[in-house]
Amino acid sequence: MYNRDELREKAVRVRDKKGAIGPDIDLNKFDEAPVPHSYLADEDLCAIPADEQKNLIMSGLDVTKKERGGTYFQMDTEVVHCHTQQEGIEVIPIQKALDEYEWIRDYYWKLVAVDADKYTAAAELGLHDGYVIRARAGTKSIYPIQACLYLDKDGLQQNVHNIIIAEEDSELHIISGCATAPHMKRGVHVGISEFFVKKNAKLSFTMIHNWAEDMMVRPRSVAQVEEGGLFLNNYICMKPVRSLQMYPTTHLIGKDAVARFYSIIVGSPGSEYDIGGRIYLKKPGTRAEIVARTITNGGNIIARGQLIGEVPGIKAHLECRGLILNGGIMSAIPELEGRVDGVEMSHEAAVGKIAQEEIAYLMSRGLSEDDAIATIVRGFLSVDIPGLPPQLQAEIDRAIEESDKDVM
């Protein structure tokens, strides 16, 4: 077990990873003190002001809970709503789980190293809450579970830890949204997520970020997938954010396990993104795919991807495409690492601009120049994600559709 004094020292001393863009955040400039909020019953959720409901729905949280199998809603440091309506699927605040259930210790800080960097350390030392979502063995999601981490207090550092477990032969679909109140200007979100996909289980996790312009965001996540398991990890961020740095890692530890990462990023002026993902293929028959679509609209984006084949008989592909729309810097850094004979790995990366002949063609079909560019951008961002439930694909399509004007 770690020493808390050493962890406190690390939380102050350790900087962002070498080579990363984005500032090393001085966490002392943000407030971690608890922010009280009242619990919201179903009718209270529907009474949330319309402008706040708009921010919530754009991050995937439907206050009516229509076509949702459960809900977790945290505002600042407090859980304001937590409910599940499907037998065999549990939604529990992590603080409650740590207090009441011994089994959570088999998962808590088992994949992410608590002393990995200053942000993991800060999440443990100043944990507010977070969610545990578990599908029992053999349970199949009827509707997705929705989870939202919301910031209302300006200048807050929100520290959360999430654990997601898809037990053997289960199927679990989650839409996780992060958003800020309309008046919110600046803050820090530190999020730890650990994913456990058991034998022959399927987990799809779709995250939609809808932050304020001066938000600093530091997610840290690791997943492991057992034999025959499938992990779909989808990330959407099309709204302004000051600094985002994330590099989720997945370990395929069982034969025929599969992981797929899909991300759609739009960088606005002044924003800094260092995003990507890493997948280790550790057993024969494992498969991995990383697909990224990024647009810089004046921001600075580094799109990374790393695939590591450790045994023969694996297949992996990485695709990173970037579009420079109105200035900014775009960097694509694909990495393939084959450690033995008999691996099959490939990548393609491209950074460019919209071709004038494409615009001219669409204008010849009756579209204005703006509409032609918007059509091209929408097509560029549209990614077909195999195996995604219709409700989650609809959320992704809606996020892209509603962000067209902001992209332009």
Side-chain angles (χ1 to χ4, degrees), residues 146-174:
Q146 61 180 356
C148 182
L149 301 165
Y150 191 73
L151 276 83
D152 181 73
K153 181 181 178 182
D154 202 56
L156 181 70
Q157 176 186 325
Q158 184 187 58
N159 301 321
V160 301
H161 194 136
N162 309 313
I163 293 176
I164 299 93
I165 307 161
E167 294 190 345
E168 189 170 327
D169 295 312
S170 68
E171 186 171 320
L172 179 60
H173 304 290
I174 298 170

Side-chain angles (χ1 to χ4, degrees), residues 88-103:
I89 295 180
E90 298 170 300
V91 182
I92 312 166
I94 199 167
Q95 291 281 25
K96 178 179 179 179
L98 291 169
D99 290 340
E100 299 182 11
Y101 304 112
E102 190 61 32
W103 57 262

Side-chain angles (χ1 to χ4, degrees), residues 39-198:
Y39 192 85
L40 301 176
D42 288 349
E43 59 271 19
D44 298 321
L45 281 175
C46 294
I48 290 174
D51 57 344
E52 294 190 35
Q53 283 198 37
K54 181 180 178 181
N55 277 10
L56 292 172
I57 195 64
M58 290 188 68
S59 59
L61 181 76
D62 186 347
V63 296
T64 69
K65 301 194 287 187
K66 183 181 179 181
E67 294 191 341
R68 297 291 193 264
T71 299
Y72 176 90
F73 185 16
Q74 179 175 328
M75 187 176 294
D76 295 327
T77 66
E78 296 283 333
V79 180
V80 296
H81 193 85
C82 185
H83 175 70
T84 181
Q85 52 200 48
Q86 182 177 345
E87 186 176 352
I89 295 180
E90 298 170 300
V91 182
I92 312 166
I94 199 167
Q95 291 281 25
K96 178 179 179 179
L98 291 169
D99 290 340
E100 299 182 11
Y101 304 112
E102 190 61 32
W103 57 262
I104 197 63
R105 299 293 174 180
D106 295 333
Y107 302 97
Y108 188 61
W109 290 117
K110 296 302 182 183
L111 298 180
V112 177
V114 68
D115 60 351
D117 61 23
K118 68 188 292 180
Y119 307 109
T120 56
E124 169 61 7
L125 294 171
L127 178 65
H128 293 135
D129 222 310
Y131 52 82
V132 177
I133 300 177
R134 178 167 70 158
R136 296 279 192 173
T139 302
K140 311 290 184 182
S141 286
I142 299 173
Y143 293 114
I145 308 299
Q146 61 180 356
C148 182
L149 301 165
Y150 191 73
L151 276 83
D152 181 73
K153 181 181 178 182
D154 202 56
L156 181 70
Q157 176 186 325
Q158 184 187 58
N159 301 321
V160 301
H161 194 136
N162 309 313
I163 293 176
I164 299 93
I165 307 161
E167 294 190 345
E168 189 170 327
D169 295 312
S170 68
E171 186 171 320
L172 179 60
H173 304 290
I174 298 170
I175 180 165
S176 177
C178 294
T180 51
H183 63 265
M184 178 88 179
K185 299 299 182 185
R186 62 185 290 272
V188 175
H189 171 83
V190 177
I192 311 301
S193 297
E194 299 180 284
F195 300 87
F196 299 84
V197 183
K198 303 295 183 72

Side-chain angles (χ1 to χ4, degrees), residues 286-360:
T286 52
R287 304 287 185 268
E289 183 179 29
I290 298 176
V291 176
R293 294 284 189 276
T294 56
I295 292 178
T296 177
N297 202 13
N300 186 2
I301 300 177
I302 294 180
R304 307 175 189 267
Q306 186 177 23
L307 298 168
I308 302 159
E310 298 188 352
V311 297
I314 64 93
K315 290 185 179 181
H317 180 69
L318 192 158
E319 177 186 320
C320 180
R321 296 186 181 181
L323 189 63
I324 301 174
L325 197 60
N326 290 308
I329 300 173
M330 175 79 69
S331 301
I333 306 176
E335 296 181 74
L336 304 180
E337 185 176 322
R339 296 183 176 177
V340 295
D341 295 343
V343 300
E344 186 177 329
M345 309 173 74
S346 61
H347 79 73
E348 53 183 300
V351 175
K353 62 179 182 179
I354 295 177
Q356 286 299 316
E357 56 267 27
E358 294 181 17
I359 299 174

Side-chain angles (χ1 to χ4, degrees), residues 234-249:
N234 311 306
Y235 180 71
I236 316 295
C237 185
M238 302 181 66
K239 296 295 181 181
V241 64
R242 182 60 54 206
S243 173
L244 168 65
Q245 184 195 98
M246 59 184 291
Y247 198 60
T249 297

Side-chain angles (χ1 to χ4, degrees), residues 210-232:
N210 184 21
W211 295 115
E213 289 191 23
D214 283 328
M215 279 292 298
M216 307 282 196
V217 186
R218 293 294 184 268
R220 300 291 186 260
S221 67
V222 180
Q224 73 173 23
V225 186
E226 298 180 7
E227 180 180 348
L230 171 63
F231 179 41
L232 299 177

